[in-house]
Amino acid sequence: MKYPSIHFSGDSAFIVRFGDTISRKIHQHVLTFETLIKKENKNIITIPSYTDVLVSFDPTSSSYKNIYKSITQTLTQVEQHTSTSGRIIHLPVLYGKKFGLDIDHVARHNNLTEDEVIKLHSNTTYFVYMLGFSPGFPYLGGLSEQLFTPRKDTPRAKIEAGSVGIANQQTGVYSVDSPGGWQIIGKTPVPLFNITDNPPVLIQPGDYIQFMPITEHEYATIEKDLKNKKFKIQINSYHE
Amino acid sequence: MNNQIRVKSPGLLSTIQDLGRNRLMHLGIPESGAVDKKSLRLANILIGNPQHEACLEVTFIGPELEFTYDTTISITGAGAQLKLNSQEIKLNTAINIKKGDLLSVGLMNSGLRSYIAVSGGFGIPNILDSKSTYLKGKFGGLDGRTLKKGDILHGNTPNKASKAIEIPKELLTPYKSHVTLRILPGPEIHNFSQDGIFTFLNEKYTVSEQSDRMGYRLNGKKVELNKSSDILSSGLTFGTIQIPNNGEPIIMLADRQTTGGYSRMANVIQADHCKLAQLRPGDSINFKEISIKEATKLFEKQESLLTNLTSKLK
């Protein structure tokens, strides 16, 4: 397929796609396009993701023809510049044990031991490409190829908030209890979504994430400290 | 505030909803809002509220509510046995309420969701710019939860009495247990085989019990893919039809996740969202492809009827 491409998502939205792989270059096109198209059209709603932007419009105030035209015009202005610094958030994770429901499956699928899965997953610094699926759920780039595992064919009815999962070349953290099809390898006690915080989400697109393996004892301590408002998450600045 | 609405029985699944919170979807915060937006808008129009005002969305079995003040209400959407004290009352019209009246909405007998609007709206705070309840996130509406027995809702000061109007027939969507939903092809239609697309457009699909405000899971003949259904997660709209590797379609509704990772076969057109919203588990669907031009025409017709109705009140 040739990119960029434009697709209908129903009669009041378009998907504008810039590629079909996870890459910082494609993602930069996504973010630049999103910024420009929002400047052109005040009433549209956008959801940027890895490779595309969902552009929803209000069909009572603009027609699909006008939005389509605006999209094609904006596409001619998309340039690229990649930023390589941001915040790094250190997120404690209890891998395997009672929370990592699928860590054995991920290990077997890739001919690894569970310890190797943990090492490979926590030795990488991940880039936050997008938030989606549920409030504050980060989609991360940088997962080691040795951990790629397909989603479950039939999604689970409930996955607990904090669960860390893998779906093909993606890894992420469930931010609220929800159904889902990712392979679960561990859990963080730190909430990613809190309605009384401003902003209500811990992680933002453009941040970096470092997972830190913790023991069951440390998990319990962090949970207790969170309850007493004594836990402070480690956030530093980061340059690639 | 003394304008109280006391919950004598909560019904099966009753939540406060408006037209949703759509400005934070880029942070992963779902739209929520009424599943049947047209019925919510009609309920508000009937009693002179702004169309986006929050209503009670009640599902399958309605609540019993006692009013401590004089006001006007309206009920739209699914048909149910409706009573004010022991008197039967009608759907789709303004109803005068006197202090002490008991409203009861029984079992839905046609459709799944009714909307109860009160004149002036419910006294509910905006959370992230909307009064809508998001149950999975546990916020919005009434502390992010469903109505329960003993709850007290507050009514804002009622509007000045408005003209009694009737909803024109063309604006109502009579409930049917088998529907044809019109669709536009989705962004990943090419991930499905020719046979798969033929199956999707010609077989009958049944709404499964595993359905909620997030989406309807459908049962029926499996839709064949010509590659894995998995895609890089991408934005979803109300009415998006995703088909995972098990070949069974899922139609996304109001509480849908903002992005999804399964191939998108199609999207239900906006003019058919109200039909979609009233489907009950066990009901069946056929899909029919139409053009963007036809879809736009159908939507514009519906909107102009709504505008005409609103202007009759002025």
Side-chain angles (χ1 to χ4, degrees):
Chain A
M1 188 172 276
K2 256 188 92 186
Y3 299 109
S5 60
I6 306 171
H7 312 261
F8 279 110
S9 179
D11 48 337
S12 66
F14 290 99
I15 297 274
V16 183
R17 188 173 286 162
F18 295 88
D20 51 18
T21 52
I22 299 179
S23 101
R24 294 289 288 278
K25 196 174 145 191
I26 292 169
H27 186 252
Q28 198 60 48
H29 286 148
V30 165
L31 291 188
T32 311
F33 172 79
E34 191 212 7
T35 310
L36 291 172
I37 193 83
K38 268 172 142 170
K39 253 187 227 157
E40 291 291 317
N41 305 275
K42 293 276 171 314
N43 284 324
I44 58 166
I45 288 154
T46 53
I47 305 179
S49 49
Y50 285 111
T51 59
D52 65 46
V53 183
L54 174 78
V55 179
S56 296
F57 57 93
D58 174 6
T60 58
S61 63
S62 10
S63 72
Y64 76 89
K65 283 181 185 158
N66 286 340
I67 298 293
Y68 186 88
K69 212 162 134 195
S70 173
I71 288 171
T72 52
Q73 278 166 2
T74 305
L75 282 175
T76 64
Q77 302 164 40
V78 175
E79 293 161 28
Q80 62 186 74
H81 62 97
T82 310
S83 113
T84 52
S85 62
R87 305 188 304 167
I88 186 163
I89 298 169
H90 299 267
L91 210 55
V93 175
L94 175 56
Y95 286 99
K97 303 281 188 295
K98 54 186 171 181
F99 299 130
L101 306 172
D102 305 309
I103 196 165
D104 56 335
H105 174 78
V106 172
R108 260 186 288 119
H109 181 82
N110 295 293
N111 292 319
L112 298 168
T113 65
E114 289 186 20
D115 280 344
E116 287 169 328
V117 171
I118 296 169
K119 219 175 246 165
L120 282 165
H121 192 262
S122 59
N123 273 352
T124 308
T125 302
Y126 297 96
F127 177 72
V128 180
Y129 279 90
M130 56 181 274
L131 300 181
F133 177 66
S134 62
F137 183 111
Y139 284 80
L140 308 174
L143 182 67
S144 161
E145 264 183 53
Q146 288 172 270
L147 291 176
F148 289 4
T149 314
R151 280 185 178 78
K152 305 183 85 63
D153 284 349
T154 305
R156 278 198 178 91
K158 187 186 163 185
I159 291 177
E160 281 180 39
S163 297
V164 179
I166 288 175
N168 295 316
Q169 66 268 58
Q170 307 176 92
T171 184
V173 188
Y174 281 83
S175 52
V176 298
D177 295 349
S178 66
W182 291 37
Q183 308 284 355
I184 304 304
I185 59 170
K187 191 177 173 190
T188 177
V190 179
L192 301 194
F193 174 69
N194 191 343
I195 193 72
T196 55
D197 290 347
N198 183 22
V201 297
L202 172 68
I203 299 166
Q204 300 267 356
D207 286 343
Y208 297 84
I209 301 287
Q210 186 78 53
F211 294 111
M212 301 190 307
I214 53 169
T215 62
E216 280 177 271
H217 178 74
E218 287 169 317
Y219 188 98
T221 309
I222 295 174
E223 249 186 344
K224 208 170 93 194
D225 288 350
L226 277 163
K227 218 176 253 168
N228 303 328
K229 303 209 182 317
K230 273 199 225 147
F231 180 79
K232 206 158 181 284
I233 185 127
Q234 195 191 334
I235 301 178
N236 305 103
S237 59
Y238 181 77
H239 300 276
E240 273 180 59
Chain B
M1 274 203 294
N2 288 322
N3 297 346
Q4 291 186 356
I5 302 154
R6 295 176 176 164
V7 179
K8 296 292 170 186
S9 85
L12 187 68
L13 174 75
S14 307
T15 55
I16 295 282
Q17 301 293 345
D18 56 18
L19 291 178
R21 66 174 61 73
N22 55 23
R23 294 262 154 208
L24 295 167
M25 290 197 283
H26 63 288
L27 296 181
I29 296 170
E31 183 172 32
S32 303
V35 180
D36 183 349
K37 290 199 175 72
K38 189 177 77 175
S39 291
L40 178 131
R41 292 164 73 189
L42 286 171
N44 281 321
I45 291 171
L46 283 171
I47 54 174
N49 284 347
Q51 289 190 23
H52 59 79
E53 190 56 64
C55 295
L56 257 180
E57 179 182 275
V58 305
T59 318
F60 198 57
I61 302 167
E64 273 185 354
L65 307 171
E66 185 190 62
F67 290 79
T68 69
Y69 67 112
D70 294 358
T71 186
T72 309
I73 66 163
S74 62
I75 306 167
T76 60
Q81 194 178 40
L82 305 176
K83 280 187 173 171
L84 192 61
N85 306 315
S86 53
Q87 204 89 325
E88 269 189 40
I89 51 169
K90 275 192 189 165
L91 198 66
N92 299 324
T93 181
I95 300 156
N96 290 319
I97 298 283
K98 291 276 172 246
K99 182 178 171 174
D101 278 351
L102 183 72
L103 170 75
S104 88
V105 179
L107 191 70
M108 316 274 146
N109 45 36
S110 63
L112 184 62
R113 307 168 217 270
S114 306
Y115 294 84
I116 305 172
V118 300
S119 183
F122 292 99
I124 292 282
N126 272 315
I127 302 285
L128 306 175
D129 293 333
S130 164
K131 293 171 185 162
S132 288
T133 311
Y134 175 45
L135 290 173
K136 292 232 159 56
K138 302 186 184 77
F139 66 85
L142 211 62
D143 304 325
R145 59 171 174 81
T146 58
L147 220 59
K148 63 177 194 230
K149 188 178 173 172
D151 276 340
I152 295 175
L153 294 165
H154 295 278
N156 296 329
T157 307
N159 309 318
K160 271 186 271 170
S162 52
K163 279 189 221 164
I165 48 164
E166 251 183 69
I167 302 176
K169 262 208 182 111
E170 310 93 90
L171 256 180
L172 294 173
T173 311
Y175 164 75
K176 290 193 182 95
S177 61
H178 175 79
V179 297
T180 298
L181 295 177
R182 291 163 290 191
I183 53 111
L184 294 179
E188 283 81 40
I189 189 161
H190 300 298
N191 290 358
F192 299 91
S193 69
Q194 284 304 316
D195 278 358
I197 295 168
F198 185 85
T199 303
F200 178 74
L201 291 174
N202 289 282
E203 292 291 326
K204 194 164 90 174
Y205 288 91
T206 307
V207 177
S208 86
E209 295 284 340
Q210 264 187 307
S211 298
D212 55 17
R213 282 182 37 87
M214 280 181 82
Y216 285 125
R217 287 198 190 199
L218 307 185
N219 297 136
K221 191 171 173 195
K222 298 194 183 341
V223 177
E224 188 184 76
L225 286 130
N226 55 26
K227 57 192 280 192
S228 165
S229 168
D230 290 11
I231 57 163
L232 290 174
S233 291
S234 167
L236 299 174
T237 47
F238 191 108
T240 296
I241 304 172
Q242 297 192 100
I243 306 186
N245 286 319
N246 69 11
E248 296 194 305
I250 304 172
I251 311 183
M252 309 317 295
L253 302 176
D255 279 355
R256 70 191 176 281
Q257 56 270 36
T258 54
T259 61
Y262 297 118
S263 292
R264 293 160 291 190
M265 165 68 93
N267 288 274
V268 178
I269 64 162
Q270 289 185 96
D272 282 352
H273 285 181
C274 42
K275 239 195 277 182
L276 171 65
Q278 293 295 348
L279 291 175
R280 302 152 64 114
D283 287 352
S284 59
I285 303 170
N286 272 109
F287 295 105
K288 185 185 173 203
E289 184 181 346
I290 65 166
S291 70
I292 177 71
K293 271 192 189 147
E294 291 170 282
T296 304
K297 223 182 239 168
L298 289 163
F299 174 78
E300 281 168 356
K301 189 180 162 209
Q302 181 182 297
E303 285 304 309
S304 80
L305 286 166
L306 277 163
T307 310
N308 287 347
L309 185 64
T310 317
S311 61
K312 271 191 205 157
L313 284 167
K314 284 176 187 156

